Amino acid sequence: MSMATVHAGTCYLSGQVAIDNRGGPIEAQVAEILDRIDNLLAECGSDRSRMLSVQVFMADLADMAPLNEAWDAWLPAGSAPARTTIQTTLASDAYRLEIAVIAAAG
C-alpha cells in the first residue's frame, strides 16, 4: 500500500491513523495524524493549504469537538477543503479516527 501517490498534479493520501499514539486520547491521535499528513503532503510537493477534499472516518462522533478544535487551529485561514466526516468501525479498536486527503501537488 502506498501512503501517497501523485497523478496528473493531484496528491492522494491513503487514510492516516495514529501509530505512536494508537490507543491514546483523541487529541494525541489527531495531532499525530495531522503531522503525518503534513509530512506526506510535503513529499508530494504540496501542503495543507492545497487540500481539495478530506474524508474523516471516526469511531465515535462524540470525538468531533476535539477534532474540530485541532483542525481549525491547523488549517490555514481561507483554505478549507471539502470535508466529509463519517462514523464507522475502524481497522482496530485502538484507532479513534482515520483521515484521507486529496490535494493539489506542486
Side-chain angles (χ1 to χ4, degrees):
M1 175 179 74
S2 295
M3 298 301 270
T5 60
V6 177
H7 176 73
T10 305
C11 177
Y12 301 86
L13 272 57
S14 64
Q16 299 302 302
V17 295
I19 303 301
D20 296 337
N21 292 294
R22 183 179 173 162
I26 185 69
E27 295 83 359
Q29 289 197 22
V30 171
E32 180 181 342
I33 291 169
L34 295 179
D35 187 53
R36 293 169 61 85
I37 290 170
D38 275 334
N39 291 332
L40 288 167
L41 288 172
E43 288 179 21
C44 292
S46 189
D47 62 60
R48 65 180 91 155
S49 71
R50 303 189 74 203
M51 294 187 300
L52 304 170
S53 178
V54 173
Q55 294 180 325
V56 180
F57 304 95
M58 301 188 77
D60 188 346
L61 290 178
D63 288 333
M64 183 77 79
L67 164 66
N68 285 338
E69 183 178 341
W71 177 262
D72 291 343
W74 177 76
L75 194 64
S79 64
R83 185 179 116 177
T84 301
T85 303
I86 301 164
Q87 181 172 321
T88 190
T89 302
L90 299 173
S92 167
D93 290 340
Y95 299 139
R96 308 281 295 269
L97 74 159
E98 180 172 340
I99 301 176
V101 174
I102 299 173

